[in-house]
């Protein structure tokens, strides 16, 4: 899934909890093509959701790092909008991403 593909059933309650933790500054990602997510220093038990949120363009790393290193996770504009219940900033308004 890329940032422009539909996100299906996003957001689930778990997705919202992960996004809220990212917004609160409690999440780190590993630098990799399939980044692992850590919340409060602990490995997230639902890596499938973590990967989905990253690949959907809702979460990204705040900085770059060496492969395998942990960096702070941040919400993208799209992730912030989704968490706040606002329209997707990348949407054209007809349901398709720009």
């Amino acid at each position: 899934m890329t940032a422009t593909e539909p996100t299906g059933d996003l957001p689930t309650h778990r997705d919202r909890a992960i996004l809220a933790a990212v917004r609160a500054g409690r999440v780190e990602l590993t630098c990799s093509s399939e980044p692992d997510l850590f919340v409060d220093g602990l490995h997230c038990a639902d890596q499938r959701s973590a990967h989905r949120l990253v690949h959907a363009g809702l979460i990204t790393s705040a900085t770059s790092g060496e492969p395998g290193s942990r960096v702070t996770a941040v919400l993208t504009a799209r992730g912030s909008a989704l968490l706040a219940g606002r329209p997707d900033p990348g949407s054209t308004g007809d349901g398709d991403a720009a």
Side-chain angles (χ1 to χ4, degrees), residues 17-43:
I18 291 171
L19 293 172
V22 171
R23 181 178 58 193
R26 299 172 38 216
V27 177
E28 295 175 303
L29 294 172
T30 56
C31 296
S32 70
S33 61
E34 287 293 339
D36 287 338
L37 189 131
F38 293 80
V39 180
D40 297 332
L42 302 173
H43 199 254

Side-chain angles (χ1 to χ4, degrees), residues 31-92:
C31 296
S32 70
S33 61
E34 287 293 339
D36 287 338
L37 189 131
F38 293 80
V39 180
D40 297 332
L42 302 173
H43 199 254
C44 178
D46 188 357
Q47 291 300 318
R48 184 174 182 183
S49 289
H51 295 161
R52 201 166 34 84
L53 293 170
V54 170
H55 291 297
L58 303 175
I59 299 173
T60 192
S61 57
T63 59
S64 59
E66 294 294 317
S69 66
R70 290 189 201 178
V71 295
T72 301
V74 294
L75 293 176
T76 62
R78 187 175 182 197
S80 293
L82 187 105
L83 190 58
R86 295 189 312 261
D88 182 345
S91 175
T92 59

